[in-house]
Amino acid sequence: MTANTTHLWRLLKWGRTLARHGALRGIEQDINTPPQVRRIARIARFGARVPSIPDYAAAFTAIGPAAIKLGQSLATRPDLVGEEAARNLLTLQDNLPPLPFDQIKPQIEAGLGKPVEQLFQSIDPDPVGAASVAQVHRAVTIEGKQVAVKVLRPGISEQLARDIETYEWAAAHVEAMGGEAARLRPQLVIANFKRWTARELDLRREAASASELAEAMEAEPGYLVPAIDWDRTSGKVMTLEWVDGIKISDRAALIAAGHDLPLIAKRLVLAFLHQAISYGFFHADMHQGNLFVKDDGTIVAIDFGIMGRINRQARMWLAEILYGLITGNYRRVAEIHFEAQYVPSHHNVEEFATALRAVGEPMRGKPVSELSVGQMLDGLFAITRDFDMQTQPHLLLLQKTMVMVEGVATQLDPGINMWETSGPFVKEWIRSELGPEAKLADRMVEDWRTFLRLPDLVRRIEQKFPPAGGAPPPPPLPNVKLMGRLGAQQRSGGGSNGNGWRYALTAMVAGGIGAAAMWFGQGWL
């Protein structure tokens, strides 16, 4: 177990880096920051040249891979880091200088168990992309197929595990300080972050996620997930088909190629809604670097290390919340928050509905250029403190992805209205899932499953109450009232060890002896 002094040293070192980029000012000035944390921030800042404008993204990049991943997660938490920091962290790009191919080649061979020459005709030594966890090389298989080969950086698993251990230590201590820090549940935030990172470090799980998403989106036009080459995939290496396309961030190239940008923006938003609401399984890293557009306008997604899941009940609540905000039904949105226990029951539903109205009304009917989903989330986070709403870690990925999708869609079509785009889809999904036909279908399915369980129920009853054996049942016996101790035992249910019978036998023998003694005594007299 890592010593406390080691954790403190790491925090001070990282704090020093944050201070040099001006990223500690917000922590020191926030009235909700625990005094102990404020003191550590001041120690880390001591003697550093602090810029007037903080650059949080640069600070997290300088700290390292784990900090980059954490910074991307915190970009959707203005309640935790402040609005200024959240906006700056949205610019955080997971790009690092690539490693030389002579360090990557042994990783490929160790991961796949064969020399590279037996698996590929050629591999481009210059990567097409390099991030904090892995880098990607273009290659041609022995069979002549164009593929992309994703390889984990050497030693990245150990580095991330070491840093995340310190995050856990810090989160536990901050939460133990109570107050606002406890309400924000930093331990659960780091626990979710650790789980997301673990998925990224096992490329077999990423390949499985890509395969599952491809099946889910098979019927959705205009959205493609590259096929996985399972023969060349392991925990450290993933191989998938190569797809040519234009980066969705290259707006000028898309226009030059004749693409309809508003259509692509709408297609991206609907693809996300299909994944998150219809399937409950969505690509949670839909930033500009992971999306391409083919010649026919199909959106191609890559990098499936971070995926989100939402169960059916949570999806129904989410859809109703979105539709309630779109239509202005704030009362229903408030009721859902109480039903889901996001807001403690001691608060008033009407008051919460009024607070939601203050957030939702200013953005209705306006384009993203004026108001956005990101600003709506900021407004919602602003009222969480007043209503004692705890952080919901299972929704953090969804919030993060919503902000990402909005950013990409806005870049393609600055005039897009996210609510008008998503409204018809959400309305139809609610009708199909919550309408009378859906309820009747759910009831029929539930009743049919109950009927199928009946035979097993009968078998369990028979095991509990087996049938009579071969002997005939005994005749009814008379209820004879017993005397003395036996009668008392009969009334109380009987003795536990048979002592009553011994007492009765002793009394009978003593009575017989007494009667004999009297008889002989009378004769002698």
Side-chain angles (χ1 to χ4, degrees), residues 328-369:
N329 189 355
Y330 302 108
R331 167 72 190 207
R332 180 55 188 152
V333 175
E335 290 173 348
I336 293 170
H337 278 75
F338 279 78
E339 290 173 14
Q341 299 180 14
Y342 297 154
V343 178
S345 59
H346 64 266
H347 285 286
N348 185 276
V349 175
E350 285 77 12
E351 289 183 5
F352 188 62
T354 301
L356 289 171
R357 180 179 293 274
V359 175
E361 279 302 300
M363 70 183 181
R364 291 182 61 204
K366 294 185 178 180
V368 171
S369 57

Side-chain angles (χ1 to χ4, degrees), residues 16-304:
R16 191 73 175 171
T17 303
L18 292 169
R20 286 197 297 267
H21 290 84
L24 288 181
R25 185 180 293 110
I27 294 177
E28 292 187 56
Q29 295 176 351
D30 193 330
I31 61 174
N32 294 307
T33 300
Q36 302 94 319
V37 176
R38 190 178 288 112
R39 281 195 292 270
I40 292 177
R42 288 171 180 167
I43 293 172
R45 178 179 54 83
F46 182 75
R49 298 182 61 182
V50 180
S52 58
I53 301 176
D55 190 346
Y56 301 92
F60 278 80
T61 301
I63 291 174
I68 293 174
K69 295 294 182 184
L70 181 61
Q72 290 178 327
S73 299
L74 294 176
T76 58
R77 297 301 310 278
D79 60 324
L80 200 60
V81 299
E83 294 184 16
E84 179 188 3
R87 283 193 297 269
N88 183 268
L89 287 172
L90 284 174
T91 66
L92 183 62
Q93 296 295 319
D94 192 1
N95 295 322
L96 290 180
L99 292 177
F101 187 68
D102 59 1
Q103 296 183 34
I104 293 298
K105 183 178 178 181
Q107 282 283 99
I108 299 176
E109 294 179 336
L112 300 181
K114 292 181 180 180
V116 167
E117 293 74 20
Q118 295 182 17
L119 298 166
F120 304 98
Q121 291 183 17
S122 62
I123 296 183
D124 189 344
D126 297 322
V128 295
S132 57
V133 170
Q135 60 189 56
V136 181
H137 293 258
R138 188 171 184 174
V140 180
T141 67
I142 293 295
E143 297 81 10
K145 289 180 59 178
Q146 297 278 339
V147 294
V149 183
K150 183 174 183 177
V151 190
L152 290 182
R153 287 175 175 262
I156 189 63
S157 299
E158 295 77 12
Q159 182 179 354
L160 290 178
R162 182 177 63 248
D163 291 354
I164 291 174
E165 184 184 9
T166 297
Y167 296 165
E168 291 174 321
W169 183 90
H173 282 77
V174 170
E175 189 163 330
M177 296 172 188
E180 180 69 5
R183 186 186 70 83
L184 296 174
R185 305 167 84 183
Q187 283 187 275
L188 275 177
V189 172
I190 297 301
N192 268 350
F193 170 71
K194 182 179 181 178
R195 188 164 62 251
W196 305 337
T197 305
R199 294 172 187 168
E200 288 193 82
L201 294 174
D202 186 351
L203 295 184
R204 286 171 299 193
R205 291 187 64 179
E206 179 176 343
S209 296
S211 176
E212 184 177 352
L213 185 63
E215 290 182 5
M217 296 295 289
E218 189 174 5
E220 302 298 331
Y223 190 89
L224 176 66
V225 176
I228 300 297
D229 184 344
W230 289 102
D231 293 332
R232 296 174 177 84
T233 294
S234 69
K236 295 183 178 180
V237 182
M238 182 179 72
T239 305
L240 64 163
E241 70 170 315
W242 181 270
V243 180
D244 288 308
I246 302 172
K247 273 195 172 184
I248 206 166
S249 59
D250 195 344
R251 196 170 189 274
L254 292 173
I255 294 174
H259 288 294
D260 185 343
L261 299 194
L263 176 62
I264 294 175
K266 180 179 180 180
R267 182 175 293 162
L268 178 66
V269 173
L270 292 178
F272 165 68
L273 291 173
H274 275 290
Q275 294 174 32
I277 296 180
S278 294
Y279 306 116
F281 182 64
F282 60 94
H283 186 197
D285 205 11
M286 296 175 69
H287 61 74
Q288 295 177 342
N290 288 338
L291 298 168
F292 298 82
V293 180
K294 291 179 64 177
D295 292 340
D296 61 357
T298 298
I299 297 173
V300 182
I302 62 171
D303 196 353
F304 306 95

